Amino acid sequence: MTDKAEAKAKMGDKVDVEQTSVVDEVAKEAHTNWHSLDTEECVRILKCGAEHVQSGLSEEEAAVRLERYGPNKLMEKVKETLCQKIWKQVSNVLVAILVTIAVVSAARAIAEEFQDSPDSTTILTSWIQVGLITLVITVNTAIGIYQEGSAEKAAEALKGMLSADARVIRGGEEKMVPAEDVVPGDIVILGLGDKIPADLRLLSVSNLACEEAALTGEAVPIDKFTEKIPAPEGMDDSQVAIGDRKNMTFSATLVAQGSAVGLVIATGDFTQIGTINKMVNATEKKKTAVLEQIDKVSIILAVLISMATLATFLVARFASNQVWFEAVSTALVCCVAMVPEGLEAIVTLTYAWAVKNMAEKNAIIRALPAVETLGSVTCICSDKTGTLTQNIMSLTAFVTSNARYKFDVDSTDRVPGNFVRDNSYLKERAVLDFSKKAGSQVKEDADQPAESSEIVVETDNSDPYPFPNGSSPDIPFIVNALSCGVLCSKCVLGEGGGREGALGNPTELSILRAAYFSGIDIDKQKENAPIVAEVPFSSEYKFMATVHDTGLPNDELLCYVKGAPDRMVDLCKYQAKGGVVAETEEIDPEYWQEQISILSSHGLRVLALCQATLPKSEVPTDGDLGQEFVNGRAEKKWLTLVGLCAIMDPPRPECVDAIKEAHSAGVRVAMITGDHKDTATAIGHMLGIVDEKYSGAVTGPEMDKMNEDQLKEAVLKYNVFARASPANKIQIVTALQAQKQICSMTGDGVNDAPALKAADMGVAMGKEGTDVAREASEMILADDNFATIVVAVREGRVVWDNLRKVLLVNTPINNAQGMSVLFGLAIGLEQSPLSPIQVLYSNLICAITLGFVTAIEPAEKGIMKLPPRRIGKRLIGRYLLLRILLGTFTLTFLVVGSCFWLLSYNTATPSKAAEMYIYDPKCEAGCHYNLTYNGPGKICQTSEDKDWDAIPASAGGVIEYCLADLRAIAFNVLDFGAIAITLSARFAYNSSISPRIFKGNKYCWYSVFIVAVLQVFITYVPGVNDIIFLMSRDGMDGTQWGITFLFMFIVFFVMETEKALRRHLKYKGADTDDAEFDDAFDDTEVETKKKVSMPASFKLFRKTSSKKKSE
């Protein structure tokens, strides 16, 4: 190497080292615990000056930083080229065998063209064989590439969430710049509705709240402030959850209210959403068990095919005395016959059919092999809100000082009759009564409106003021009782009182919705009581207050306050008697605290509605009021408590039945929610998730304190996980997989992406979910309904059963083709009973038609009464292998036997002429070359070839059938026998000798009809039968068809007899389902966990000093 080259190499190494060093520095800087620092320290770390907040970066400094930190965009994963995708599809042993056969066939065609007297039939059939093999490989490759195309969209969805522009301060001036040009150190100005362009440390805020549900899972906007956040006792700064870093905002989240100024502390892949992008790109694709088993089966088949091909070659060359090239061609016929070239296509079609069925039932599968995973799921971890519940917060009860009013949440009529006084409704604390039928209350409540528009109540006429028990209140009462909920709110109802177009907090909207469906004109009510001042809601003090000018005398204003009931009771001096606001009495705090406890025990959210009148002089009108306006008054108790609103997101009635079905199928259902423990437990009991075995719940903070062993124990002990964060979902998935469970996990936010990737089956929400969650999942629920998951699990089990049926149909047919060639030659035939084109045709037509029949079979009865498929269970077990071998040898025996049956009709004395007539390749098209064929029953005389010996007249023999006739009957026995195997295989255990054979799958008889018609067409159409398929030009006679249908019946009878024997063995207790472990057929250990590269911000920390979770 020259000195110059050495110097250049050293310079290149130096540059690489410097670039690596810069990246490390940037990464270290990005992972600084910014939330734990004050703003001055943050500015200093980013090497900005004292006046930086006012002036921002200069354009020159911004350019330098852009060079250092790179553009503010997410890293793109290197995509596979088309050539790489094609190679990935064709790089397997079966395709290699097919390619070899195609090359040899092409070589044979080319060699034949150079012969002195080339045989045009040999040339044509060889090129047809090459074309068919090429077509098979091309179709399989195209299907594989098409199905994998959707898997590359996850990173694109993340990039679509990023902001396009940003408002920054550069050189002392505000300006809009492309978001890609934002760099650490930039000062960013945020306003209502802005999409945040990078991760920011807030410098100043004005009533700022950000919508971070997609990133943190928080359902409501997060209030922000600027003070530094110290870590709680026992934790370090890095352990503070993303959602608790309230002095920061994060890239791709939204400003829900207020405004702010922030300092950019991370951009691109170093933001929180950037770490998710890295995780998505780093996730390794893992084949499902079926595809891995298909690969293993392919290798085994390749070995067996090679052995059979070699055996066929040796028999053809040395037993049948074929010349070398002819012996090779015969051996390749056996090889082509046994290669299951249609297997991958039919497996893909099986998946595709299941995907189509599930899509019609609102389960959208993103990756076809994921269908198979569903069949082995042992635990479904589901979100509560919107999945197990209706995702519509509804006011179910209104409690006054002496009564309880039940509201019909299912009514669509706008009448006050939707409220009915029912003093027995929710009057006692909830008790988890496990003797009560799971979900009965949900079902009763759901079914009642359909039977009657009236709500039935117990007779109770005590204290009938203001309305007796069982009656409905009038509109004036409802208007006054709910005025606080209607007027102390800035929410907007959706069209027709529904969710579409609704704006605001779902809990507040539930009160507006109840008022709307009671016949109240909400817009008019708000118009008549304009807001003068307000105290905005804050999670810090948990209430909201508004002051209204309703035209009260004496210059007074009306103040409404609604909020957490336990805090409101302490602020109330009076209570509205019976809910009538015009009549008040001294408050009974014990009564209200008891009612709050009762309602909360039922999993209800409770809001207290209060009001009071105030002189105008006490209400400032210059901007928002502070919390002290409500809880800092001289008179501590000054409000009147009107009533309690009991609100809940009702469970979906259909989920109760779905959970029962899952339990009967041996599938556990776990509920993961951000709700409080008691609420979650109550909802779980209503759904049947909480029962005697799983009677408790565990919270996210409790899980964070557990070590690995405790966590593994917890995920098997509890079905309800409350106050859970997206990070807890990863904990649950990892622990379940460590316990050898196959788990499904639902999620809807960006921060759920790691858990969805880590789960064996990630399930995203179609309505409420983010694009990132959807792209990180294997399945999407179009209706966000848990019941759809159970439907998908059922379909997954059907797919497994059908794949076994596909193998039972395709494998014996392929094997019988090859074995017929081998055994036919071995026991006396001089030529292969099947031509190469016949073999290729049978492979394709049987796979595409008959194989498809079993691929789309509907579920057999009782499929959801069986336990989940055992981990490590292989497609081919002991009994399926026995069935395949039985079908193979039965069909082989009958195909070869049909040829010898025909030969038994040839009574001519054996001679060279007779043998040549029957077996010479030039006779394959009906002896129309150098032989004279005088029809069945006539002696064939030689014409030109003087080497042939004439058949002695004294022999008195006749030659009924030649090679072309043998190939015709062998071809038809094979394919009609395949129909018999298919009809039997439609039912794994139940007999096919039943009327059920004509039901359930119309495509079965379409396929049978197509195969039968094509067989007749090929057998009788000249040019097709003799030139392409090398059969007799005259088709088949009655004897041949009689043999064909007799053998078809024998195949069907043998397969049905085997099923009857297996049913008897199962009745006696034998493991005919291959459910038990078998060393010879099953994997001893199966890796269930997907390999996911977890970014630092998703690491799970433990408070225990002895152990920390290893990432």
Side-chain angles (χ1 to χ4, degrees):
M1 182 182 292
T2 65
D3 292 342
K4 186 176 181 179
E6 288 181 3
K8 186 174 181 179
K10 289 180 179 179
M11 181 62 71
D13 292 341
K14 182 179 179 181
V15 170
D16 290 340
V17 171
E18 289 178 353
Q19 288 177 341
T20 302
S21 176
V22 169
V23 171
D24 290 342
E25 288 178 13
V26 171
K28 183 178 179 181
E29 184 180 280
H31 288 106
T32 300
N33 296 312
W34 300 99
H35 60 280
S36 65
L37 306 175
D38 57 34
T39 55
E40 291 78 8
E41 183 67 9
C42 294
V43 171
R44 187 191 65 78
I45 291 176
L46 289 171
K47 300 176 183 177
C48 299
E51 302 298 323
H52 182 68
V53 176
Q54 289 74 33
S55 61
L57 297 174
S58 65
E59 291 293 349
E60 293 77 13
E61 177 62 19
V64 171
R65 294 190 179 219
L66 186 61
E67 181 69 23
R68 172 182 172 83
Y69 294 100
N72 180 28
K73 62 180 183 179
L74 301 182
M75 174 186 67
E76 295 186 22
K77 185 178 181 180
V78 177
K79 296 181 180 180
E80 290 181 332
T81 64
L82 180 60
C83 291
Q84 289 173 323
K85 291 179 180 179
I86 292 174
W87 174 249
K88 184 176 166 185
Q89 297 295 325
V90 301
S91 56
N92 62 71
V93 290
L94 294 184
V95 172
I97 292 173
L98 286 175
V99 170
T100 302
I101 296 169
V103 170
V104 173
S105 298
R108 184 185 182 191
I110 294 171
E112 186 67 29
E113 289 180 354
F114 287 96
Q115 298 294 321
D116 294 334
S117 300
D119 188 340
S120 59
T121 301
T122 299
I123 296 172
L124 176 62
T125 54
S126 295
W127 284 119
I128 290 176
Q129 186 169 326
V130 172
L132 285 174
I133 291 174
T134 304
L135 177 64
V136 168
I137 295 174
T138 302
V139 169
N140 284 338
T141 301
I143 291 173
I145 292 174
Y146 174 78
Q147 294 301 337
E148 287 193 357
S150 61
E152 298 177 351
K153 296 179 181 177
E156 297 297 327
L158 281 164
K159 287 184 286 184
M161 296 183 67
L162 301 182
S163 173
D165 299 297
R167 184 179 297 279
V168 301
I169 298 177
R170 293 267 178 92
E173 297 180 0
E174 286 188 21
K175 57 177 62 178
M176 296 295 293
V177 299
E180 282 192 10
D181 293 344
V182 171
V183 296
D186 260 326
I187 300 297
V188 175
I189 300 172
L190 301 176
L192 180 64
D194 286 349
K195 186 176 284 188
I196 297 168
D199 286 2
L200 310 179
R201 173 62 167 89
L202 295 171
L203 303 176
S204 65
V205 299
S206 175
N207 195 30
L208 180 70
C210 293
E211 174 58 65
E212 297 178 352
L215 185 64
T216 66
E218 293 285 349
V220 296
I222 306 299
D223 295 325
K224 300 292 183 177
F225 50 79
T226 61
E227 293 77 13
K228 68 179 182 180
I229 302 173
E233 185 178 352
M235 298 173 64
D236 59 45
D237 292 330
S238 63
Q239 291 177 289
V240 176
I242 300 299
D244 292 333
R245 300 181 185 185
K246 297 183 180 181
N247 55 9
M248 297 181 66
T249 60
F250 304 100
S251 178
T253 60
L254 295 170
V255 176
Q257 69 180 37
S259 59
V261 175
L263 174 69
V264 177
I265 51 89
T267 58
D269 282 335
F270 297 101
T271 61
Q272 290 299 322
I273 199 171
T275 59
I276 299 172
N277 181 61
K278 289 179 184 177
M279 180 279 303
V280 171
N281 285 335
T283 301
E284 296 179 12
K285 294 179 182 177
K286 182 177 180 292
K287 284 189 174 182
T288 62
V290 163
L291 293 185
E292 289 177 345
Q293 289 179 47
I294 292 295
D295 288 343
K296 292 177 182 177
V297 169
S298 297
I299 295 173
I300 295 171
L301 283 176
V303 174
L304 295 177
I305 290 169
S306 299
M307 294 171 60
T309 302
L310 178 60
T312 304
F313 169 76
L314 295 175
V315 171
R317 176 68 188 90
F318 298 106
S320 300
N321 295 316
Q322 295 182 4
V323 297
W324 288 97
F325 212 137
E326 188 177 355
V328 170
S329 298
T330 302
L332 290 181
V333 172
C334 174
C335 188
V336 170
M338 296 185 69
V339 173
E341 59 263 29
L343 183 58
E344 283 196 29
I346 199 64
V347 168
T348 302
L349 286 172
T350 305
Y351 284 140
W353 183 264
V355 167
K356 172 181 172 293
N357 286 343
M358 283 191 277
E360 292 174 352
K361 298 170 184 176
N362 295 313
I364 301 169
I365 298 295
R366 296 188 60 254
L368 293 187
V371 178
E372 179 265 326
T373 305
L374 284 164
S376 57
V377 165
T378 59
C379 181
I380 302 174
C381 301
S382 175
D383 282 334
K384 177 183 75 70
T385 304
T387 307
L388 291 167
T389 61
Q390 298 178 24
N391 199 22
I392 301 178
M393 296 301 292
S394 304
L395 187 149
T396 60
F398 183 72
V399 178
T400 66
S401 64
N402 69 336
R404 326 176 85 74
Y405 294 88
K406 184 176 181 180
F407 184 74
D408 184 357
V409 298
D410 296 309
S411 175
T412 56
D413 297 326
R414 297 187 61 197
V415 293
N418 289 327
F419 271 109
V420 174
R421 180 171 177 175
D422 183 357
N423 289 339
S424 65
Y425 186 57
L426 302 175
K427 71 176 182 179
E428 297 178 352
R429 290 176 184 268
V431 177
L432 300 184
D433 183 5
F434 298 122
S435 64
K436 189 174 181 180
K437 192 175 179 181
S440 58
Q441 183 61 46
V442 179
K443 297 282 288 181
E444 289 166 8
D445 290 347
D447 294 341
Q448 182 173 301
E451 298 172 2
S452 172
S453 59
E454 298 182 358
I455 301 175
V456 180
V457 298
E458 295 179 4
T459 302
D460 178 8
N461 294 315
S462 61
D463 192 10
Y465 181 81
F467 304 100
N469 198 47
S471 65
S472 295
D474 54 27
I475 281 196
F477 173 85
I478 299 174
V479 168
N480 289 320
L482 297 184
S483 283
C484 177
V486 172
L487 297 177
C488 188
S489 171
K490 289 190 174 181
C491 296
V492 178
L493 270 181
E495 184 177 350
R499 288 187 59 199
E500 179 141 5
L503 298 173
N505 185 289
T507 303
E508 295 183 46
L509 282 168
S510 67
I511 303 175
L512 266 69
R513 191 174 290 112
Y516 175 84
F517 282 105
S518 296
I520 296 174
D521 188 336
I522 293 175
D523 292 336
K524 185 176 181 180
Q525 189 176 4
K526 288 189 174 185
E527 183 181 334
N528 293 336
I531 295 177
V532 175
E534 68 174 299
V535 179
F537 176 82
S538 171
S539 57
E540 181 183 351
Y541 44 82
K542 295 187 177 180
F543 62 77
M544 175 182 181
T546 52
V547 182
H548 300 261
D549 185 355
T550 58
L552 292 175
N554 303 320
D555 228 18
E556 288 187 323
L557 299 175
L558 189 57
C559 178
Y560 291 113
V561 184
K562 74 173 187 299
D566 52 340
R567 298 197 180 192
M568 293 296 96
V569 169
D570 292 339
L571 295 174
C572 291
K573 185 176 182 179
Y574 305 103
Q575 62 188 30
K577 184 178 179 181
V580 179
V581 296
E583 298 185 42
T584 61
E585 57 189 4
E586 188 174 342
I587 191 169
D588 181 356
E590 289 76 16
Y591 166 82
W592 291 107
Q593 293 294 354
E594 176 65 15
Q595 300 310 309
I596 293 167
S597 297
I598 290 173
L599 295 174
S600 297
S601 72
H602 288 275
L604 300 168
R605 294 185 184 182
V606 185
L607 276 182
L609 304 185
C610 310
Q611 68 179 60
T613 56
L614 294 170
K616 282 186 179 180
S617 58
E618 294 184 13
V619 182
T621 57
D622 52 347
D624 291 340
L625 305 175
Q627 60 167 309
E628 63 279 357
F629 178 79
V630 175
N631 58 17
R633 303 178 70 84
E635 64 274 35
K636 299 295 183 183
K637 296 178 178 289
W638 64 286
L639 294 171
T640 297
L641 181 55
V642 178
L644 301 176
C645 293
I647 300 164
M648 75 178 303
D649 181 7
R652 293 177 182 262
E654 65 270 24
C655 287
V656 176
D657 292 332
I659 290 169
K660 288 179 185 175
E661 185 176 14
H663 288 166
S664 68
V667 179
R668 239 182 93 209
V669 179
M671 182 176 76
I672 303 174
T673 176
D675 275 343
H676 290 281
K677 193 172 183 177
D678 291 343
T679 302
T681 303
I683 295 292
H685 179 58
M686 294 173 69
L687 288 164
I689 293 174
V690 174
D691 53 24
E692 291 177 334
K693 183 177 180 181
Y694 303 98
S695 58
V698 64
T699 66
E702 290 171 345
M703 291 170 60
D704 290 335
K705 297 176 183 178
M706 296 178 183
N707 59 32
E708 298 291 342
D709 293 334
Q710 291 171 332
L711 191 57
K712 290 177 186 177
E713 183 181 344
V715 295
L716 295 182
K717 181 179 180 182
Y718 300 104
N719 271 352
V720 173
F721 301 89
R723 305 303 289 170
S725 68
N728 291 136
K729 288 188 175 184
I730 307 175
Q731 291 177 286
I732 295 167
V733 168
T734 306
L736 284 169
Q737 290 173 334
Q739 297 283 39
K740 302 300 182 184
Q741 299 289 303
I742 304 294
C743 67
S744 168
M745 175 65 73
T746 65
D748 55 11
V750 173
N751 217 18
D752 288 326
L756 295 177
K757 280 288 183 182
D760 298 283
M761 189 72 195
V763 181
M765 303 298 107
K767 289 182 178 180
E768 303 295 332
T770 61
D771 286 341
V772 179
R774 286 191 281 267
E775 294 298 341
S777 66
E778 283 85 10
M779 183 171 79
I780 299 170
L781 302 182
D783 57 356
D784 293 4
N785 192 341
F786 172 84
T788 304
I789 303 177
V790 178
V791 170
V793 168
R794 183 174 185 271
E795 198 66 35
R797 295 187 174 194
V798 173
V799 166
W800 177 268
D801 282 359
N802 287 351
L803 285 174
R804 286 167 58 89
K805 293 174 183 177
V806 166
L807 288 174
L808 178 57
V809 171
N810 281 26
T811 310
I813 295 171
N814 288 342
N815 291 344
Q817 291 166 1
M819 292 296 100
S820 296
V821 175
L822 174 59
F823 285 104
L825 295 176
I827 61 178
L829 294 178
E830 299 273 337
Q831 293 286 335
S832 168
L834 295 168
S835 70
I837 301 302
Q838 286 177 318
V839 166
L840 273 173
Y841 169 82
S842 292
N843 267 348
L844 284 175
I845 196 65
C846 291
I848 292 172
T849 56
L850 302 181
F852 184 64
V853 167
T854 49
I856 63 173
E857 274 295 314
E860 292 194 55
K861 187 177 180 180
I863 196 169
M864 289 298 279
K865 299 294 183 182
L866 300 173
R869 189 168 64 254
R870 176 177 38 77
I871 298 173
K873 181 179 173 68
R874 292 188 182 177
L875 270 172
I876 300 178
R878 297 186 306 273
Y879 282 89
L880 181 59
L881 178 61
L882 288 174
R883 293 205 77 195
I884 289 173
L885 292 175
L886 179 64
T888 297
F889 287 110
T890 300
L891 200 52
T892 300
F893 174 79
L894 295 177
V895 169
V896 176
S898 67
C899 294
F900 281 95
W901 191 336
L902 281 192
L903 286 177
S904 68
Y905 290 102
N906 293 345
T907 59
T909 301
S911 68
K912 183 177 180 181
E915 292 170 5
M916 292 286 290
Y917 178 80
I918 296 173
Y919 297 115
D920 192 283
K922 294 182 180 180
C923 266
E924 290 177 347
C927 308
H928 60 278
Y929 286 96
N930 60 350
L931 296 174
T932 302
Y933 179 54
N934 297 319
K938 304 293 181 65
I939 295 177
C940 183
Q941 302 287 336
T942 61
S943 56
E944 297 177 0
D945 196 331
K946 297 179 181 180
D947 294 331
W948 288 21
D949 296 328
I951 298 176
S954 60
V958 295
I959 299 173
E960 291 283 356
Y961 302 104
C962 67
L963 177 60
D965 299 302
L966 303 188
R967 285 183 170 170
I969 193 170
F971 180 53
N972 280 286
V973 168
L974 176 68
D975 286 356
F976 279 98
I979 291 175
I981 289 179
T982 301
L983 293 177
S984 176
R986 282 189 60 194
F987 307 104
Y989 279 101
N990 296 321
S991 174
S992 294
I993 308 174
S994 165
R996 73 170 65 91
I997 195 70
F998 300 103
K999 303 174 184 177
N1001 188 351
K1002 63 182 180 181
Y1003 296 101
C1004 168
W1005 296 105
Y1006 292 164
S1007 296
V1008 169
F1009 177 77
I1010 291 171
V1011 172
V1013 169
L1014 286 176
Q1015 288 297 122
V1016 173
F1017 174 83
I1018 292 169
T1019 301
Y1020 285 100
V1021 175
V1024 176
N1025 56 10
D1026 56 349
I1027 296 176
I1028 297 177
F1029 284 85
L1030 306 182
M1031 301 189 301
S1032 172
R1033 181 184 297 177
D1034 295 325
M1036 297 205 311
D1037 59 22
T1039 300
Q1040 290 170 289
W1041 281 116
I1043 295 171
T1044 298
F1045 290 123
L1046 172 63
F1047 284 2
M1048 178 183 178
F1049 170 77
I1050 291 174
V1051 172
F1052 184 76
F1053 176 78
V1054 168
M1055 301 306 290
E1056 285 301 299
T1057 301
E1058 183 276 337
K1059 273 200 288 187
L1061 178 60
R1062 195 152 36 89
R1063 287 196 299 271
H1064 176 73
L1065 291 174
K1066 186 175 183 179
Y1067 176 77
K1068 293 292 185 180
D1071 178 28
T1072 58
D1073 292 316
D1074 296 323
E1076 297 175 2
F1077 179 78
D1078 189 324
D1079 287 325
F1081 290 93
D1082 295 319
D1083 297 324
T1084 55
E1085 185 175 356
V1086 175
E1087 180 69 28
T1088 61
K1089 182 179 178 180
K1090 294 181 183 177
K1091 295 181 180 179
V1092 182
S1093 176
M1094 301 305 298
S1097 58
F1098 285 97
K1099 289 182 179 178
L1100 309 178
F1101 298 96
R1102 301 285 183 269
K1103 290 186 178 180
T1104 56
S1105 57
S1106 59
K1107 286 188 178 181
K1108 279 191 176 183
K1109 184 167 180 167
S1110 174
E1111 290 300 320

